[in-house]
């Protein structure tokens, strides 16, 4: 599998060669989904204006009906409140979970901060159980930091 260092380089390349924020976010989704075998759905949710809910922005993978997620609901909604990474190696162990399909076995959500405010997140679903390592968090935190910089 492609190394985390190579993945970071690929991500850097997207930021260096793309102008529009929307295009950068879409390319990140497509890139991660294509390069990491166990990333089956990659998307960005952002806080919906002044409402206590998340709104789906760019994504790569099967379209989901969960385009709006209230704060506190599901893994994503919990991260909107906790401000912390949420790594779910087995979704069947979570009660507060919103399913996007029976094929999804695990999920990782990393928050994005702008000026210390939690303004959104990257969300990844996997069809594999127990796939996530420390490197996944490291890579996704790296991406969220760069996304944060273009959203300032
Ligand atoms: N499973 C998420 C819902 C969003 S989908 O994974 C795209 C959750 O529990 O918040």
């Amino acid at each position: 599998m492609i190394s985390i260092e190579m993945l970071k380089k690929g991500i850097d390349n997207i930021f260096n060669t793309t102008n529009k924020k929307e295009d950068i976010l879409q390319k990140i989704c497509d890139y991660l989904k294509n390069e990491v075998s166990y990333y089956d759905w990659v998307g960005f949710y952002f806080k919906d204006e002044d409402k206590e809910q998340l709104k789906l922005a760019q994504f790569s993978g099967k379209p989901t009906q969960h385009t709006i997620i209230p704060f506190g609901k599901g893994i994503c909604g919990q991260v909107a409140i906790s401000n912390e990474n949420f790594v779910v190696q087995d979704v069947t162990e979570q009660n507060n979970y919103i399913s996007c399909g029976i094929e999804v076995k695990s999920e990782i959500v990393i928050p994005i901060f702008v000026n210390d405010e939690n303004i959104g997140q990257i969300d990844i679903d996997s069809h594999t159980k127990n796939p996530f390592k420390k490197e996944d968090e490291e890579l996704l935190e790296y991406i969220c930091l760069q996304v944060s910089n273009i959203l300032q």
Side-chain angles (χ1 to χ4, degrees):
M1 208 193 85
I2 182 168
S3 70
I4 181 167
E5 291 315 317
M6 288 298 290
L7 288 166
K8 283 182 176 174
K9 286 210 176 88
I11 292 292
D12 289 345
N13 186 50
I14 292 173
F15 280 95
N16 291 334
T17 57
T18 317
N19 290 323
K20 270 178 65 188
K21 290 173 192 174
E22 293 78 12
D23 294 343
I24 292 175
L25 296 177
Q26 186 63 56
K27 282 187 186 179
I28 292 171
C29 293
D30 295 340
Y31 178 72
L32 290 178
K33 185 175 178 298
N34 288 336
E35 294 300 332
V36 184
S37 59
Y38 53 91
Y39 287 3
D40 294 295
W41 188 95
V42 181
F44 287 96
Y45 282 93
F46 292 103
K47 189 172 188 289
D48 188 13
E49 294 163 8
D50 51 0
K51 300 195 187 93
E52 297 282 285
Q53 62 187 27
L54 295 162
K55 196 174 173 190
L56 181 61
Q58 290 74 19
F59 69 94
S60 185
K62 196 178 92 174
T64 174
Q65 65 189 68
H66 301 293
T67 54
I68 298 282
I69 299 178
F71 279 20
K73 295 273 189 295
I75 308 303
C76 297
Q78 291 178 76
V79 170
I81 292 172
S82 72
N83 304 327
E84 284 175 7
N85 297 352
F86 201 158
V87 184
V88 179
Q89 302 284 13
D90 178 357
V91 295
T92 64
E93 290 175 358
Q94 296 295 322
N95 294 325
N96 189 359
Y97 166 71
I98 301 167
S99 175
C100 284
I102 184 133
E103 65 281 6
V104 179
K105 302 287 190 266
S106 57
E107 175 163 8
I108 183 169
V109 178
I110 309 290
I112 300 168
F113 299 95
V114 172
N115 300 324
D116 290 333
E117 189 195 346
N118 181 350
I119 55 98
Q121 52 194 235
I122 189 166
D123 174 24
I124 295 175
D125 286 349
S126 175
H127 298 172
T128 307
K129 213 188 208 183
N130 278 313
F132 303 118
K133 308 270 182 300
K134 265 288 153 203
E135 285 77 23
D136 294 278
E137 282 185 80
E138 187 192 324
L139 171 68
L140 299 173
E141 284 174 4
Y142 178 82
I143 293 170
C144 287
L145 210 57
Q146 293 206 55
V147 169
S148 163
N149 288 335
I150 60 161
L151 297 179
Q152 304 265 0

